[in-house]
């Protein structure tokens, strides 16, 4: 276990407390590895006026008891990039500071004892290769050669990451703190930050038990205190401390010091050598929250006591894997708190609602291996004003307000830890803390056979278990074709060939109103939103560098009112973006009205024929052209109907006041039944399919993939431009007043064709099952990664979207034309096997959008 060493010059010892400065350019709260790394990297970028405040002593939160593993096999490209940056710091820091990090490269072995785990690991290997990480698949004999203490019985295979390593968490943190001091930062212990001072929506300093400090930036690196500290400023930052166990044995005679770390998800355990001993750590089911109502004021170097009855079954399982453990006594049984988040991803970046307030916390027990890299990202972000990596998955603005509820956190975060070492199945849904946000039509679609998933707390119909598909609703997960494959295919085909209904009430709905609403919307939108009331505009919102911050539709409902529709997962983020860009002197309000309206879409070539008898409005192509939005009568009330689509077919979005949602649904259901009866009476062979097919989000995804419609967070992000994403058609280059990011985007346009493009891929093997993050090769050269994928039921094969970087093939040669991206065959690696694919810059389905505009 780590021994904490203090650094001369810190406050609270000997000569008394150092004075608290009145101001600093940046105040970092928290003296764990993330906080010390942030201060260190800020000074590396030349910022000297940096103040780090620690409530007790450095490392005394959770860093001090970290096991010190450094493993690059993380779930996303961005998180893998963070670890690689950390490794660079570990390997160079001692030379700069004179204090060792204890880091050494030992490698890691990830074990598989059944075929499902082996499939997961092989997919993980492919994803890691796409991030430039060296990884090899090894058999049982090679595994034992690398880790001789292992009993290989039942071992299917393993992944070997030779560049992984281990270090000492406390020593590394002290080295970072010294590096920060050498760079000009002030590091003070025994200073409690009581509140982050916020004025006019901006962090302007901190209030401590020793006085106030003014600051331009504040960084919350308070670890398991992060939720409480953020809440004092009205910020939702969901995380919860959990019990985390490890055991250290007595000395192991003849133990090799160069053995790799062993990770066995099937046993919920990891093993590493620890100064001649073995450390066995656990991420076991049945975990427990700690101090969910508030961490004790005196918490410092906290231990939580033994619970051998809980841990014994998992330790005994590892005794079977590593027989020498049976002969060894236990020198240390340790349990300490670690902070976990609802989705298992840390919070890194600027928070919602407060400018210049950054955070790095909630590290899910990977703070040591992520901290130095996360600190570097934050340092670059603060100095440059933009993130150096695409880390949308870690954006603190993904958090929904309900997620800081104590009871929610106890249930959902417990599940986070419980499943962390289990097989991570495709399309896996969480089971705990469900049912929080429900569509006004939840009961109706449930009765229609909906099988629900959850996003941002919303219960949403993923697919419908109807007819012969009901029995598949309870089938277990798999990596191949899912139990719902055929049912979703029927939903997909109904929308392509006839008409389908989607309940998409979870879509975010943001209302922008007021005298200056147009000015705000025009400034933010890359497209021209100054259209007549009753028109829908598809647009992106860009940052100053031309990167995409949002992908939305904007409907002008009145001269001074606009309705923004966005995804459920990005609603908080997009609300924050709009509010940040409203000027103090503007008369404009931005309000989240998502819960005030249900939203159903009626999509398919027969959608007009289906809806027309239900309204007096003219839904013809002449009377209701594509991009039109207006209030129409439907049944006995009124709805807002918009002719727009995300599936690539003729269709209408219906926004319905909550109190009228059930009535409108009944009107649609009756019409569907009448239509089905009429078909049956006419001998229509399609009558058995009913008059209106309910369809869920899995079908929505397969439909949009065939049409190459983008999904924000998968195919679009802050480091992607509309030119690279093939969305230049949605840019109004010359609109009066321009828009945020115009100058940077225009410069990119004038520099010539982009060298990096979003490409749609059609895989040749119909049985292949790409998901996301698979590496893309061209002529054997790694050129990109898959952002999203689905089976294209109309095309008959899997479809994927991913960026291709021409520079990987052409180097510094002139930028290629579009033919380059389509001319050569590609290969997509899935589970360590490469599948041939063709690429296209035009949608593979209905490339001219004739069906959409029919």
């Amino acid at each position: 276990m780590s021994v904490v060493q203090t650094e001369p010059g810190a406050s609270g010892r000997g000569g008394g407390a150092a004075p608290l400065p009145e101001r600093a350019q940046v105040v970092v709260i928290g003296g764990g590895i993330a906080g010390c790394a942030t201060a260190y990297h800020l000074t590396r970028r030349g910022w000297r006026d940096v103040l780090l405040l620690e409530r007790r002593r450095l490392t005394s939160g959770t860093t001090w008891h970290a096991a010190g593993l450094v493993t690059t096999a993380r779930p996303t490209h961005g998180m893998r990039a963070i670890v690689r940056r950390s490794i660079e710091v570990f390997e160079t820091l001692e030379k700069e500071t004179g204090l060792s990090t204890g880091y050494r490269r030992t490698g890691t072995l990830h074990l598989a004892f059944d075929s499902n785990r082996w499939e997961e690991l092989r997919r993980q290997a492919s994803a890691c290769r796409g991030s430039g990480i060296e990884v090899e698949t090894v058999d049982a004999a090679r595994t034992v050669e690398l880790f001789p203490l292992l009993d290989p019985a039942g071992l299917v295979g393993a992944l070997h990451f030779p560049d992984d390593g281990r270090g000492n968490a406390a020593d590394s943190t002290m080295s970072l703190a010294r590096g920060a001091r050498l760079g000009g930062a002030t590091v003070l212990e025994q200073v409690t930050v009581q509140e982050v001072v916020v004025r006019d929506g901006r962090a302007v300093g901190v209030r401590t038990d020793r006085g106030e400090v003014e600051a331009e930036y504040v960084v919350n690196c308070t670890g398991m205190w992060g939720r409480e500290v953020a809440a004092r400023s009205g910020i939702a930052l969901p995380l919860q401390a959990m019990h985390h166990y490890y055991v250290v044995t007595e000395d192991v005679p003849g133990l090799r010091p160069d053995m790799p770390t062993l990770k066995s998800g099937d046993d919920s355990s990891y093993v590493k050598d620890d100064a001649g001993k073995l450390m066995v750590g656990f991420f076991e089911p049945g975990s427990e929250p700690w101090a969910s109502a508030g961490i004790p004021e005196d918490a410092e170097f906290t231990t939580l006591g033994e619970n051998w009855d809980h841990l014994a079954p998992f330790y005994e399982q590892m005794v079977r894997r590593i027989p020498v453990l049976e002969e060894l006594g236990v020198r240390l049984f340790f349990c300490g708190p670690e902070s976990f988040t609802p989705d298992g991803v840390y919070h890194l970046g600027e928070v919602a609602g407060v400018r210049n307030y950054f955070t790095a916390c909630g590290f899910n027990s990977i703070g040591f291996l992520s901290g130095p890299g996360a600190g570097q990202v934050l340092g670059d972000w603060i100095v440059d004003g933009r993130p150096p990596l695409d880390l949308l998955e870690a954006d603190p603005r993904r958090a929904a307000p309900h997620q800081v509820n104590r009871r929610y956190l106890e249930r959902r975060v417990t599940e986070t830890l419980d499943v962390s070492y289990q097989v991570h199945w495709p399309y896996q849904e969480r089971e705990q803390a469900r049912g929080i946000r429900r569509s006004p039509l939840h009961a109706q679609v449930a009765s229609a056979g909906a099988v629900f998933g959850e996003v941002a707390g919303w219960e949403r119909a993923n697919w419908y278990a109807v007819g012969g598909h009901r029995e598949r609703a309870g089938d277990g997960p798999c990596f191949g074709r899912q139990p719902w494959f055929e049912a979703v295919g029927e939903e997909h085909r109904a929308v392509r060939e006839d008409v389908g209904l989607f309940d998409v009430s979870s879509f975010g709905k943001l209302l922008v109103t007021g005298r200056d609403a147009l000015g705000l919307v025009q400034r933010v939108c890359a497209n021209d939103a100054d259209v007549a009331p009753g028109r829908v505009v598809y647009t992106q919102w860009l940052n100053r560098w031309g990167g995409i911050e949002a992908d939305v539709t904007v409907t002008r409902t009145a001269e001074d009112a606009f309705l923004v529709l966005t995804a459920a997962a990005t609603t908080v983020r997009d609300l924050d973006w709009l509010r940040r860009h409203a000027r103090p002197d503007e008369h404009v309000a931005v309000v989240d009205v998502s819960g005030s309206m249900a939203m159903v879409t009626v999509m398919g070539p027969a959608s007009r024929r289906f809806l027309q008898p239900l309204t007096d409005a003219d839904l013809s192509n002449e009377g209701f052209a594509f991009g039109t939005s207006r209030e129409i009568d439907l049944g006995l009330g009124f709805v807002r109907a918009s002719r727009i689509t995300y599936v690539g077919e003729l269709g209408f979005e219906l926004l319905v006041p909550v109190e009228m949602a059930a009535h409108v649904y009944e009107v649609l259901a009756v019409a569907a039944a009448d239509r089905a009866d009429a078909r049956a009476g006419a001998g229509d062979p399609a009558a058995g399919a009913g008059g209106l097919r309910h369809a869920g989000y899995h079908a929505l995804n397969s439909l949009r993939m065939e049409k190459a419609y983008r999904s924000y967070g998968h195919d679009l992000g802050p480091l992607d431009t509309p030119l690279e994403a093939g969305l230049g058609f949605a840019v109004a280059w010359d609109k009066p007043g321009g828009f945020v990011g115009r100058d940077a985007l225009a410069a990119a346009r004038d520099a010539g064709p982009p060298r990096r493009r979003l490409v749609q891929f059609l895989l040749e093997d119909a049985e292949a099952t790409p998901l996301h993050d698979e590496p893309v090769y061209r002529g054997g050269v790694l050129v990109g990664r898959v952002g999203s994928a689905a089976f294209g039921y109309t095309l008959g094969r899997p479809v994927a979207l991913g960026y291709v970087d021409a520079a990987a093939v052409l180097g510094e040669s002139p930028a290629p034309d579009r033919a380059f991206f389509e001319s050569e065959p590609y290969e997509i690696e899935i589970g360590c096997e490469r599948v041939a694919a063709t690429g296209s810059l035009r949608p593979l389905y209905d490339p001219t959008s004739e069906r959409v505009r029919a």
Side-chain angles (χ1 to χ4, degrees):
M1 185 173 64
S2 302
V3 177
V4 179
Q5 300 176 342
T6 55
E7 172 74 5
S11 65
R13 290 176 300 280
L20 184 73
E22 295 182 355
R23 71 164 311 281
Q25 192 171 12
V26 184
V27 172
V28 180
I29 314 170
I33 194 163
C36 290
T38 301
Y40 167 77
H41 285 293
L42 284 166
T43 63
R44 292 274 293 179
R45 291 297 308 272
W47 286 30
R48 309 299 181 206
D49 191 11
V50 177
L51 174 65
L52 185 146
L53 302 176
E54 162 55 42
R55 62 181 290 275
R56 291 291 185 266
R57 285 177 285 173
L58 299 183
T59 79
S60 64
T62 61
T63 297
W64 70 280
H65 62 71
L69 309 184
V70 180
T71 55
T72 49
R74 309 267 53 96
T76 71
H77 177 73
M79 295 174 74
R80 294 189 286 269
I82 289 282
V83 181
R84 298 183 76 186
R85 289 178 177 227
S86 291
I87 290 174
E88 293 175 0
V89 174
F90 289 133
E91 293 186 329
T92 59
L93 189 62
E94 181 178 356
K95 183 177 181 180
E96 178 183 346
T97 68
L99 292 181
S100 173
T101 64
Y103 183 77
R104 57 196 176 99
R105 294 200 180 197
T106 59
T108 302
L109 283 167
H110 295 253
L111 309 182
F113 288 95
D114 63 39
S115 58
N116 289 324
R117 179 73 69 175
W118 186 228
E119 175 68 13
E120 179 190 27
L121 290 184
R122 288 189 299 155
R123 286 177 176 262
Q124 187 178 66
S126 292
C128 288
R129 290 184 184 125
S131 296
I133 295 169
E134 184 179 352
V135 55
E136 59 178 340
T137 58
V138 296
D139 60 15
R142 175 59 175 157
T143 302
V144 172
E145 181 182 342
L146 292 166
F147 198 98
L149 301 180
L150 177 71
D151 180 350
L155 185 68
V156 177
L159 298 187
H160 181 220
F161 291 82
D163 293 334
D164 286 359
R166 299 197 288 270
N168 184 291
D171 289 351
S172 297
T173 304
M174 292 302 178
S175 189
L176 286 164
R178 174 178 279 185
R181 289 191 183 97
L182 292 173
T186 300
V187 179
L188 298 181
E189 297 175 296
Q190 307 297 338
V191 181
T192 299
V193 173
Q194 300 167 331
E195 182 184 3
V196 175
V197 180
V198 177
R199 191 176 302 125
D200 297 327
R202 183 184 298 271
V204 296
V206 297
R207 183 174 296 113
T208 80
D209 59 352
R210 289 172 51 187
E212 291 193 14
V213 181
E214 295 181 4
E216 297 175 31
Y217 299 87
V218 176
V219 187
N220 179 352
C221 297
T222 57
M224 60 185 175
W225 289 268
R227 168 168 53 106
E228 298 175 31
V229 172
R232 294 170 196 157
S233 301
I235 297 163
L237 203 63
L239 54 89
Q240 171 61 48
M242 303 293 295
H243 290 71
H244 177 53
Y245 296 88
Y246 59 73
V247 170
V248 179
T249 71
E250 299 288 355
D251 288 342
V252 183
L255 183 65
R256 278 173 35 184
D258 61 339
M259 289 195 307
T261 297
L262 203 68
K263 297 191 77 171
S264 179
D266 295 317
D267 302 307
S268 305
S269 302
Y270 62 84
V271 182
K272 68 157 191 155
D273 67 85
D274 187 71
K277 308 166 185 60
L278 287 179
M279 174 187 284
V280 186
F282 301 89
F283 288 85
E284 77 290 350
S287 54
E288 300 175 74
W290 178 70
S292 60
I295 297 172
E297 179 63 28
D298 61 351
E300 180 182 14
F301 300 115
T302 302
T303 59
L304 302 181
E306 297 185 8
N307 185 351
W308 189 251
D309 288 342
H310 166 71
L311 201 64
F314 303 102
Y315 189 74
E316 291 167 2
Q317 177 65 21
M318 288 311 295
V319 169
R320 290 190 284 272
R321 297 288 186 216
I322 304 176
V324 71
L325 290 174
E326 189 170 16
E327 305 168 11
L328 300 172
V330 173
R331 180 181 180 185
L332 173 68
F333 183 110
F334 181 83
C335 180
E338 292 275 5
S339 62
F340 287 77
T341 62
D343 59 4
V345 179
Y346 44 76
H347 301 297
L348 183 67
E350 197 168 13
V351 304
V354 183
R355 289 177 179 268
N356 294 0
Y357 188 139
F358 289 79
T359 189
C361 58
F363 277 97
N364 300 276
S365 204
I366 59 168
F368 171 66
L369 60 94
S370 305
Q376 186 182 81
V377 166
L378 280 190
D380 290 344
W381 195 335
I382 291 169
V383 173
D384 298 332
R386 63 184 299 192
L389 296 174
D390 184 348
L391 283 162
L392 281 171
E393 65 272 23
D395 192 332
R397 294 172 294 176
R398 74 188 187 275
H402 72 269
Q403 291 182 310
V404 293
N405 176 284
R406 176 180 62 82
R407 287 169 290 277
Y408 170 87
L409 284 170
E410 287 178 346
R411 294 172 61 183
R412 177 57 66 89
V413 175
T414 296
E415 187 179 22
T416 295
L417 181 51
D418 284 356
V419 305
S420 59
Y421 266 35
Q422 293 181 12
V423 173
H424 298 90
W425 300 103
Y427 308 101
Q428 187 174 24
E429 295 286 348
R430 292 298 184 89
E431 298 178 359
Q432 298 299 315
R434 291 285 298 269
I436 300 169
R437 306 171 80 182
R438 305 184 192 190
S439 159
L441 300 174
H442 180 86
Q444 288 86 342
V445 298
S447 296
V451 179
F452 291 99
E454 180 254 354
V455 171
W458 284 100
E459 295 293 320
R460 314 192 312 177
N462 279 340
W463 64 287
Y464 286 82
V466 297
H469 303 299
R470 288 190 180 93
E471 62 188 31
R472 303 303 305 275
D475 285 4
C478 64
F479 282 98
R481 288 190 168 178
Q482 299 298 308
W484 40 258
F485 182 84
E486 295 298 336
V488 170
E490 292 179 8
E491 296 170 21
H492 179 110
R493 284 185 285 272
V495 175
R496 284 279 182 256
E497 299 167 7
D498 190 29
V499 61
L501 180 145
F502 298 85
D503 176 15
V504 290
S505 298
S506 65
F507 267 51
K509 309 165 192 78
L510 308 177
L511 184 61
V512 186
T513 61
R515 182 186 62 221
D516 298 311
L518 175 62
L520 171 60
V521 170
Q522 280 290 76
R523 187 163 59 252
V524 168
C525 294
N527 212 341
D528 190 354
D530 189 7
V531 294
R535 296 296 299 171
V536 183
V537 176
Y538 171 59
T539 186
Q540 287 72 50
W541 299 346
L542 310 183
N543 54 41
R544 287 183 291 156
W545 299 273
I548 301 171
E549 294 287 347
D551 182 64
V552 300
T553 61
V554 177
T555 302
R556 191 170 195 175
T557 59
E559 289 292 336
D560 60 352
F562 297 82
L563 184 64
V564 177
L565 294 184
T566 187
T570 58
T571 301
V572 173
R573 190 177 190 278
D574 295 345
L575 178 67
D576 181 65
W577 188 260
L578 279 172
R579 288 177 172 171
R580 283 171 181 264
H581 285 83
R583 295 169 178 164
D585 60 343
E586 287 183 319
H587 189 280
V588 61
V590 182
V591 184
D592 182 358
V593 295
S594 301
S596 69
M597 290 176 277
M599 183 174 170
V600 296
T601 65
V602 180
M603 295 284 156
S607 57
R608 180 185 289 125
R609 295 195 302 274
F610 177 79
L611 286 173
Q612 187 63 81
L614 310 180
T615 178
D616 294 337
D618 180 4
L619 300 184
S620 69
N621 207 29
E622 296 75 20
F624 212 104
F626 183 77
T628 297
S629 177
R630 66 170 69 110
E631 285 195 352
I632 67 171
D633 65 289
L634 190 67
L636 304 180
F638 293 88
V639 302
R640 172 167 290 279
S642 301
R643 189 175 161 196
I644 198 76
T645 183
Y646 193 50
V647 300
E649 299 292 342
L650 169 68
F652 298 84
E653 292 178 350
L654 306 178
L655 284 163
V656 188
V658 164
E659 67 273 17
M660 298 178 63
H663 167 69
V664 168
Y665 182 87
E666 290 167 1
V667 169
L668 297 174
V670 169
D674 291 345
R675 185 169 182 260
D677 290 344
R679 279 182 165 186
D684 187 341
L692 178 71
R693 181 75 186 231
H694 285 72
Y697 275 84
H698 290 332
L700 185 72
N701 191 47
S702 68
L703 290 158
R704 72 99 182 168
M705 284 297 304
E706 289 188 328
K707 194 69 173 69
Y709 287 152
R710 282 63 165 153
S711 172
Y712 194 79
H714 299 97
D715 314 310
L716 306 173
L719 301 186
D720 308 316
T721 71
L723 302 177
E724 295 169 328
L727 298 173
F729 66 89
V731 177
W733 295 99
D734 300 321
K735 71 175 181 178
F739 53 87
V740 175
R742 183 199 179 282
D743 291 346
L745 194 63
R749 175 197 61 187
D750 296 343
R755 303 176 66 82
R756 176 177 175 269
R757 290 294 304 270
L758 185 65
V759 176
Q760 186 181 28
F761 301 102
L762 186 65
L763 280 68
E764 292 188 5
D765 183 358
E767 299 298 318
T769 55
L771 300 168
H772 62 87
D773 214 18
E774 292 87 0
V776 179
Y777 295 89
R778 177 180 169 128
V781 177
L782 178 67
V783 294
R785 291 175 295 108
V786 168
S788 57
F791 189 82
Y793 293 91
T794 309
L795 299 173
R797 283 183 277 166
V799 188
L801 286 169
Y803 286 93
V804 170
D805 187 354
V809 176
L810 301 178
E812 298 300 320
S813 301
D817 59 16
R818 63 180 297 125
F820 168 85
F821 294 96
E822 300 177 324
S823 59
E824 294 289 334
Y826 292 91
E827 290 181 309
I828 295 176
E829 184 178 319
I830 306 171
C832 298
E833 296 181 3
R834 297 187 184 182
V835 179
T838 55
S840 176
L841 295 180
R842 302 182 74 200
L844 295 170
Y845 178 79
D846 188 24
T848 60
S849 294
E850 292 179 7
R851 297 175 67 87
V852 170
R853 301 179 183 277

